[in-house]
Amino acid sequence: MSESARTIEGYKAAAARAAIELVQPGMRLGLGTGSTAAPFVEEVGARVRDGLNVICVPTSEATRAHAEALGIPLTTLDETPHLDLTVDGADEIDDQLRLIKGGGGALLREKIVATASERMVVIADDRKLSRTLGSHPLPIEVVRFGLKATVQLIQALSAEAGCEGEIRLRPGEGGRPFVTDQGNLIVDCAFPKIAEPEVLAFALTRVPGVVEHGLFLGLCDMAIVAGANGVQVLKHPSA
């Protein structure tokens, strides 16, 4: 691992350590997915070993396996439909705490879990901050049937919403497409600037083949962001 990569991992760990302080005994937690959420799962595991009583819902099979290996008690949203707190990462965060998520391929479950939570807190390194969303490709989960027609409609309606760019099917292992935990595919949209995320989100809901998109709007209550200047806490403007 390069020195810069170690530095970024250190920032992620610092954000996770700050976020664990929000966890109280008896909480029902949503556990996020990806390289930034993983250190938080590690922190939860360490607290559980020290006697912390929590119950958690993972947002992916990868996170489930990680949590199980750490001895974290798990449940499902069917058993526990309301959560106190979800802590997750993000691919991009703007100054209104609007997010692009889904780089890890778990955007559908992540959005379901976040919506079922009283609070959603995002942890990130400061590279993820952006004044305008679009520096990270926007993932969209789609069904397999009619893929070409779905992509064409995404392209057309996104253009009407002021967003144009290359749309690519996400590759997986062995030259096959990436497949989500729900058995769907993901297309990544390279829209350099998403000036009106709400307009684009509404446009994408009009595409029948779209299962979910990676715009998380009005869900994040707080972002804990670590960088060279330490850890900063960003709260939603309405908070």
Side-chain angles (χ1 to χ4, degrees):
M1 183 183 293
S2 68
E3 183 175 351
S4 61
R6 285 194 296 270
T7 299
I8 295 301
E9 292 305 309
Y11 294 158
K12 293 176 181 179
R17 288 193 297 270
I20 197 66
E21 299 305 321
L22 301 173
V23 177
Q24 301 297 320
M27 272 190 167
R28 299 156 296 183
L29 298 177
L31 301 178
T33 294
S35 64
T36 305
F40 178 76
V41 178
E42 293 280 348
E43 292 288 338
V44 173
R47 295 293 179 98
V48 166
R49 289 193 296 274
D50 289 340
L52 177 67
N53 174 33
V54 292
I55 190 79
C56 301
V57 174
T59 55
S60 67
E61 295 306 310
T63 298
R64 177 181 299 281
H66 188 188
E68 286 178 341
L70 295 171
I72 297 172
L74 299 179
T75 184
T76 67
L77 281 183
D78 289 326
E79 297 169 333
T80 311
H82 181 77
L83 305 179
D84 299 299
L85 172 68
T86 286
V87 177
D88 205 343
D91 300 308
E92 194 172 358
I93 309 166
D94 78 1
D95 56 7
Q96 296 182 50
L97 297 193
R98 295 177 295 192
L99 315 173
I100 287 180
K101 286 181 51 56
L107 62 100
L108 175 58
R109 292 192 188 183
E110 287 174 335
K111 190 171 284 189
I112 292 171
V113 170
T115 302
S117 302
E118 189 71 26
R119 299 173 68 202
M120 179 192 189
V121 173
V122 164
I123 55 177
D125 64 85
D126 59 7
R127 299 173 306 158
K128 304 299 179 67
L129 296 176
S130 178
R131 296 191 66 178
T132 303
L133 296 180
S135 63
H136 189 280
L138 173 66
I140 302 175
E141 187 163 342
V142 298
V143 298
R144 295 167 181 262
F145 179 80
L147 176 63
K148 186 173 182 179
T150 295
V151 170
Q152 287 179 345
L153 190 52
I154 289 172
Q155 198 161 33
L157 294 182
S158 297
E160 289 183 7
C163 296
E164 295 186 76
E166 184 181 13
I167 300 176
R168 299 182 60 185
L169 182 65
R170 182 177 297 185
E173 295 180 359
R176 295 182 295 272
F178 177 89
V179 178
T180 71
D181 286 340
Q182 305 305 120
N184 298 313
L185 306 177
I186 288 182
V187 294
D188 291 308
C189 305
F191 299 146
K193 182 178 181 181
I194 305 175
E196 298 180 285
E198 289 80 7
V199 174
L200 178 59
F202 178 74
L204 294 174
T205 63
R206 296 167 57 197
V207 182
V210 167
V211 178
E212 191 52 84
H213 56 77
L215 289 169
F216 282 55
L217 310 177
L219 289 173
C220 180
D221 299 286
M222 177 190 296
I224 299 175
V225 181
N229 295 321
V231 176
Q232 59 177 318
V233 176
L234 309 176
K235 295 185 178 180
H236 192 275
S238 64

